[in-house]
Amino acid sequence: MQQSPDIAVVRYGEAGIKSDKVRGQMLDRLAENVRAILDDRGIPGAVERHWSRLLIRPPATAADGEFDADAAARAAADAFGVVSTRPAITTPPAADALAEAAVALAADHPGGATFAVRANRAGKPEIHPFTSQEVASEVGAAIGDATGAAVDLDAPDRAYRLDIREDEAFVSAVEYGGPGGLPVGTQGTTVALFSGGIDSPVAAWELFKRGLEVVPVYLDLGDYGGSDHLARAVETAGTVARSAPHVDARLRVVPAGGLVDDLVAATGPTRMLSLRRAMLRVAEAVADDVGAHSVATGESIGQKSSQTGPNVRVTDAAASLPVHRPLLTRDKPEIVAQAREIGTFVDATMNVGCERVAPEYPETNATIESVEAAEPDDLLARAEALAEERYVVDGN
Ligand SMILES: Nc1ncnc2c1ncn2[C@@H]1O[C@H](COP(=O)(O)OP(=O)(O)OP(=O)(O)O)[C@@H](O)[C@H]1O
């Protein structure tokens, strides 16, 4: 019998609790997304939908030993909608076969580590001559005999998992956590204002996580921006898009230096609000072109003067599409921790971009009237027109 993992088992979350029709559509999409990640990373694997899991098996064309179940499981764990993945050994659904596979996996059981066996059985009860609990203790006894390790059912150092179905079973000792959420492509498209700083990449990641296709838009602020600022945006956009390689999430760059220069010359305390309003209009114009239903930012309430409650009202008044702010209620340390975790945190804080455009004494409690009175009359129309000048930068 096979003694090393020959399959990757993929568990999904919320898609599984939808109505049959919606679940079917979501799982087709999830399977497609996992295939795209495997292709993008050059990992062979045939993705199947199967009962309450996706399975990744060796492709029909794979030579012996060419399929790397662990690599497939690790890659699939990046797909939005996936809760966890496990490289596993396929066995017949019989207790002795399950025990043999588990003992094979226990060959590298760390010395002194405790373990538990978790069994999950589906199918008609009469098919298997055991309950989940009975088979778990039988397999547990075999692992204990082979390794001398102690059982800890509450907080084991390692869990051996048995996924038992009517005609086959899967035994695993390793589990990779996925992001959860919904499969990308199931919730339409949004245009995200993307500076490449700490917040907007995390916001884009959160939007992907809820199944949206994200089109990132960067405004090049001319003398207030800089090539390193743009390079950072390209790099972080590429990092976020790695989990959805079949979606066109390349950075759209809009040359906005002239508009910013004029805004700096014309405005004082309300400048950042006018800039944010112009940004929203650029994003809306792009949204119209790409068929997006909304726009998004990385703003968090009260984090900056332009993001106070009253000021958010003023910026939103320039938009007609819904403005999504996935980080609205998040604290900065949490956002920083998440940026590190998803790989978008950039160490050097650049003193470029919005920080340099900001006035010395920014307004924190603006009214729509005061902002409109200060900003150039043609600002929003000019912002819409600028969207036409966008170009695409591919970070990969
Ligand atoms: N140059 C830019 N191009 C596109 N969007 C931008 C740009 N600068 C800011 N934004 C958008 O405006 C939001 C608020 O920007 P601001 O600089 O005030 O805050 P921030 O918390 O530093 O954001 P970030 O960390 O995302 O740069 C950003 O999250 C982003 O959505």
Side-chain angles (χ1 to χ4, degrees), residues 76-84 176-182 205 209 243:
D78 283 348
F80 296 103
V82 166
V83 167
S84 70
Y176 300 109
L182 296 171
W205 193 90
K209 182 181 164 192
S243 299

Side-chain angles (χ1 to χ4, degrees), residues 286-311:
V286 176
D288 256 4
D289 283 353
V290 301
H293 47 52
S294 54
V295 299
T297 79
E299 291 167 307
S300 156
I301 202 98
Q303 194 194 87
K304 290 202 168 170
S305 58
S306 60
Q307 301 170 19
T308 63
N311 282 357

Side-chain angles (χ1 to χ4, degrees), residues 16 122 262-263 281 334 369 391:
D262 293 349
L263 204 52
R281 274 298 173 87
E334 261 177 57
E369 295 71 27
Y391 59 95

Side-chain angles (χ1 to χ4, degrees), residues 31 83 151 165 315 322 332 359 379 382:
V83 167
V151 171
R165 307 296 131 171
T315 46
K332 190 76 180 189
L379 178 77
R382 200 171 156 193

